Amino acid sequence: MYLFHKAAKIILLLRHNLATTIIVLLFGIVIFKLIGAYISSNIDDGEWAQFKIDHDCQPFINDSGSQRLSWQCDDGKVYYRWRQQR
């Protein structure tokens, strides 16, 4: 009964502060997604060096003459070091 009473109080508190609750939940989701993106980018960085060798990637220079950290690989695709396509 005590647990039910505590849960009811928490639900009532969240309903009275609905806007704050939604903002905190959205902020939590954004933080979670950013952490996931950071972790996956670090994993990709470790594999990029080998990927670049395996696929004979060369620096890609666009029409304006700038490189912008993009790579042309033997599969015909242009890869960006921070967004490798597998």
Side-chain angles (χ1 to χ4, degrees):
M1 208 53 162
Y2 175 75
L3 186 59
F4 178 74
H5 183 65
K6 278 290 197 187
K9 275 186 166 181
I10 291 172
I11 291 171
L12 187 61
L13 180 65
L14 292 176
R15 284 182 63 197
H16 285 304
N17 296 315
L18 189 59
T20 304
T21 303
I22 291 172
I23 290 171
V24 168
L25 286 174
L26 289 175
F27 184 72
I29 291 169
V30 167
I31 294 296
F32 181 74
K33 288 291 196 179
L34 287 173
I35 290 171
Y38 176 76
I39 290 170
S40 69
S41 71
N42 282 343
I43 291 170
D44 287 346
D45 279 347
E47 297 171 5
W48 173 245
Q50 187 61 42
F51 180 87
K52 190 168 61 169
I53 293 168
D54 292 345
H55 294 275
D56 190 33
C57 299
Q58 302 298 321
F60 178 75
I61 299 174
N62 62 15
D63 296 336
S64 67
S66 63
Q67 181 184 349
R68 304 217 124 334
L69 293 177
S70 54
W71 300 83
Q72 178 81 41
C73 298
D74 61 3
D75 61 359
K77 294 181 182 177
V78 175
Y79 293 89
Y80 299 91
R81 183 169 179 219
W82 57 92
R83 293 185 65 199
Q84 300 93 9
Q85 310 273 333
R86 307 257 165 166

